[in-house]
Amino acid sequence: MSGFHASVITLYPEMFPGPLGVSLSGKALEDGLWRLETLFLRDFGRGRHRAVDDTPAGGGAGMVLRPDVVAEAVEAVSPEGDARPRLLLSPRGRPLTQARVRALADGPGAVLLCGRFEGVDQRAIEHCRLEEVSIGDYVLSGGELAAMVLIDAVVRLLPGVMGNPLSGAFESFETGLLEHDHYTRPRDFAGRAIPDILLSGDHAKIEAWRRENARALTGARRPDLLAGRRGHD
Ligand code: ADE
């Protein structure tokens, strides 16, 4: 089954599809390989001003999204029985990994709640079983860009989206290593030559060079990745 179904709950639905409507993901959207639905959180707001947030209990800066508003929106877009995971994009979340992206791509879709303000009332997180997901150790002004990053990473893995289904299998993180260096024509550029081995036609040697290049790069930039894959080869 393909047909990944993304439902995004946001205060800024006009941000979507944004970059997801262009290039690989945009073509796949047009081709019906995935579906994008946005829900305007303010439609579930309270009172004349459709308030979605309020001041934090205990005091302090910022505003907190109300649990009743959040729960109504989540349940409207994803009633009981919907098998899709419910994700809350938040810098507090578990870091998104390629393994999680792949698992999402293998599933029916996802409900994505984009946080804004200081946060979401904890009771909504628990009541709606929202899984908090972060795309990195930096703070965005809201979850919308994070949701787009997640969706983009998922969509490119869906069957029929990438031209060459093998090309994804050897890229960064799928092997546990960063990708090796790449070269193309011209043979000499600004006084730098393409490494001879890559022009030798000896595929075993080229493979060995790429493995070693990837390992060295990973050791220099991401020693944590190397430590995590001891015993792989
Ligand atoms: N919202 C704000 N910052 C974020 C982050 N790093 N990841 C996911 N959602 C966010």
Side-chain angles (χ1 to χ4, degrees):
M1 216 281 296
S2 68
F4 185 86
H5 179 198
S7 297
V8 178
I9 304 170
T10 170
L11 282 166
Y12 299 96
E14 67 273 24
M15 282 186 162
F16 293 85
L20 297 173
V22 181
S23 186
L24 207 67
S25 54
K27 171 79 164 41
L29 189 56
E30 259 174 39
D31 292 347
L33 297 175
W34 68 289
R35 209 146 71 79
L36 175 66
E37 164 187 37
T38 54
L39 217 72
F40 187 27
L41 188 60
R42 191 154 315 275
D43 285 344
F44 300 85
R46 295 299 194 259
R48 208 157 51 84
H49 298 291
R50 307 219 157 186
V52 296
D53 58 344
D54 211 324
T55 53
M63 299 290 271
V64 177
L65 289 178
R66 291 173 55 118
D68 47 355
V69 171
V70 167
E72 256 182 49
V74 168
E75 279 153 18
V77 78
S78 179
E80 212 47 61
D82 182 350
R84 294 178 299 164
R86 297 165 165 181
L87 311 179
L88 166 59
L89 285 310
S90 156
R92 293 201 333 166
R94 284 219 176 80
L96 183 64
T97 62
Q98 187 66 18
R100 184 76 177 104
V101 166
R102 192 163 279 289
L104 287 166
D106 287 339
V111 176
L112 301 123
L113 172 64
C114 302
R116 282 264 155 187
F117 316 112
E118 284 308 297
V120 176
D121 188 297
Q122 184 61 26
R123 294 164 298 173
I125 295 175
E126 292 168 14
H127 174 75
C128 298
R129 295 184 308 280
L130 296 171
E131 174 191 340
E132 291 179 83
V133 175
S134 167
I135 64 157
D137 290 341
Y138 38 80
V139 182
L140 305 168
S141 49
E144 285 79 7
L145 287 171
M148 289 182 204
V149 165
L150 183 151
I151 293 170
D152 180 271
V154 166
V155 164
R156 60 189 289 283
L157 297 182
L158 298 176
V161 172
M162 282 217 292
N164 172 7
L166 262 189
S167 68
F170 298 102
E171 65 194 5
S172 291
F173 305 115
E174 296 286 353
T175 59
L177 293 176
L178 301 181
E179 262 193 287
H180 58 75
D181 299 342
H182 299 281
Y183 296 89
T184 186
R185 281 184 278 274
R187 192 169 175 148
D188 290 290
F189 167 71
R192 295 163 194 271
I194 294 176
D196 285 336
I197 286 208
L198 298 180
L199 305 172
S200 69
D202 184 333
H203 292 293
K205 278 205 177 129
I206 290 170
E207 248 340 284
W209 182 92
R210 285 180 170 162
R211 251 200 320 277
E212 182 41 39
N213 181 266
R215 192 185 310 278
L217 187 76
T218 307
R221 292 186 184 170
R222 295 291 306 275
D224 57 309
L225 291 182
L226 273 194
R229 84 190 271 290
R230 291 264 145 74
H232 276 242
D233 56 5

